[in-house]
Amino acid sequence: MTRFNTAFSACSKSDSAFDDLTASLGDARPHPSEDALIQLGRALMTELVDLISDTALEDYQTLLGEALIGAFHSAAGRIERDADRARDAMRALDRDFDGSEAADVELQDATAKARSGDAATRACELIRDAASDSWTIATGEVWTAWRGSRRGSYLTAAQLEAKQAIRAIRNRRSGEAEPGGPVVAFRGAPTADTAEDAGRIFDALNWAKSEWPDMALATTGAKGSEKLAIKWAQQKGVKLILARADFDLHGKAAPFRANDELIALEPEVCLTLVHSVDRTRQQQRSFGPALNLGQKAMENGLRHLPIKARAA
């Protein structure tokens, strides 16, 4: 506790958008600074990894680490829903406002609840993103929200569900909404996870970003090469669109149904890595879902570029 209080004191002088938001709330109680919240997220994850490393709990490290990050993600979502309900109340009170003192007090209370909820949501997101960043540094693993979307910070990229992004594209056609920048889709083999694979994946994605600077990366979030692509997106602050394979709903066809969602996003290009480019790995089978995405891209008149090993 003393260590965190020291960190809070040292960080409280820093200014940020979050600090400006909390300063405008008019609450007599102080808020932790943005730097202090980030410090807390990093410290929590560091303590967890240090404690369970080289112990019998190490077998459950991934589950425990993701549970810690997910707890703050869940809290942010719950607080945000409460703030949204307060905003709904604000709109209703504003619409029916009769000028009375009681109505004015009620409207001010709803406004204060919504604004304080926004600040608390952002605080949870800062802790979550800092813990996620420390998790990746400590383990090399990438955390992604299993359900729903996630706003990004300077630490991580924003994350969208594919179905939400597809709806945005359809709404754009109806003139209802603007979905954002161009999409680059990527599917790769789970076994393509070596340093050489990472280099080729990053080369391809860096090329894509140079072509479409405001691109979003769409993938299924599967292990191996797609986790490497997500790590690249987080490092570059590129928005993520996740088309997760739903095995409960689609069974063995789930990876191919996920490809249908990727195609529905109308990507500028589909990048595929069907097997590791590491030549030390012999007799590799091509990854069927990556082959399938390339085939579907060509069938739909979309550009397809396979990622291959560098020329010898």
Side-chain angles (χ1 to χ4, degrees):
M1 187 67 180
T2 302
R3 179 171 56 183
F4 178 65
N5 286 336
T6 301
F8 177 89
S9 175
C11 295
S12 59
K13 297 179 181 179
S14 174
D15 292 328
S16 69
F18 174 78
D19 298 329
D20 291 340
L21 170 62
T22 57
S24 70
L25 295 179
D27 195 319
R29 298 166 298 175
H31 275 79
S33 71
E34 178 172 316
D35 286 344
L37 292 167
I38 292 171
Q39 174 94 4
L40 173 61
R42 290 171 176 165
L44 288 172
M45 183 55 71
T46 301
E47 290 285 351
L48 175 66
V49 173
D50 287 349
L51 180 65
I52 65 178
S53 293
D54 301 320
T55 74
L57 288 178
E58 191 172 36
D59 295 343
Y60 304 95
Q61 177 175 268
T62 297
L63 179 61
L64 294 170
E66 291 185 348
L68 175 61
I69 303 167
F72 287 100
H73 178 67
S74 177
R78 291 175 62 182
I79 296 169
E80 186 173 34
R81 288 190 290 273
D82 285 343
D84 287 341
R85 283 191 284 269
R87 269 184 282 275
D88 290 339
M90 286 168 52
R91 284 189 284 269
L93 289 165
D94 186 54
R95 183 181 63 246
D96 302 329
F97 188 69
D98 60 8
S100 67
E101 183 177 350
D104 185 57
V105 170
E106 199 173 357
L107 180 58
Q108 289 185 40
D109 288 345
T111 302
K113 185 175 181 180
R115 295 184 66 204
S116 64
D118 289 340
T121 299
R122 184 64 185 136
C124 289
E125 291 173 341
L126 287 165
I127 298 169
R128 176 203 64 196
D129 290 350
S132 175
D133 188 51
S134 294
W135 174 248
T136 299
I137 291 171
T139 68
E141 299 182 29
V142 179
W143 177 83
T144 54
W146 179 243
R147 292 184 183 276
S149 299
R150 175 173 60 76
R151 290 178 297 200
S153 70
Y154 72 91
L155 289 170
T156 59
Q159 176 186 314
L160 294 174
E161 291 286 343
K163 289 181 175 62
Q164 179 182 349
I166 292 168
R167 283 196 300 272
I169 289 172
R170 291 170 179 167
N171 290 340
R172 177 192 58 188
R173 292 172 177 166
S174 303
E176 296 176 16
E178 178 58 43
V183 174
V184 173
F186 172 70
R187 289 231 64 182
T191 56
D193 57 0
T194 68
E196 191 171 350
D197 292 316
R200 295 302 290 151
I201 293 166
F202 292 178
D203 285 346
L205 293 174
N206 285 332
W207 166 82
K209 195 170 189 310
S210 70
E211 292 288 311
W212 303 281
D214 56 343
M215 64 169 275
L217 173 67
T219 186
T220 72
K223 65 180 182 179
S225 57
E226 294 185 33
K227 288 292 188 185
L228 290 172
I230 291 173
K231 185 182 295 186
W232 173 89
Q234 292 185 335
Q235 292 172 349
K236 299 291 185 179
V238 170
K239 182 185 294 182
L240 288 171
I241 302 175
L242 292 182
R244 299 186 186 277
D246 190 338
F247 289 95
D248 291 337
L249 182 62
H250 300 302
K252 293 181 179 179
F256 305 99
R257 292 295 187 93
N259 284 349
D260 291 337
E261 291 190 355
L262 292 175
I263 294 297
L265 292 167
E266 302 176 356
E268 297 292 331
V269 65
C270 292
L271 302 172
T272 59
L273 179 58
V274 298
H275 57 66
S276 174
V277 299
D278 190 334
R279 292 182 175 86
T280 63
R281 296 189 171 183
Q282 302 296 323
Q283 297 179 341
Q284 297 184 70
R285 293 180 60 184
S286 295
F287 183 52
L291 288 171
N292 177 259
L293 180 65
Q295 180 181 352
K296 286 181 175 178
M298 291 185 288
E299 289 172 354
N300 286 272
L302 299 171
R303 189 176 182 185
H304 169 232
L305 292 177
I307 299 174
K308 299 179 179 179
R310 289 187 177 88

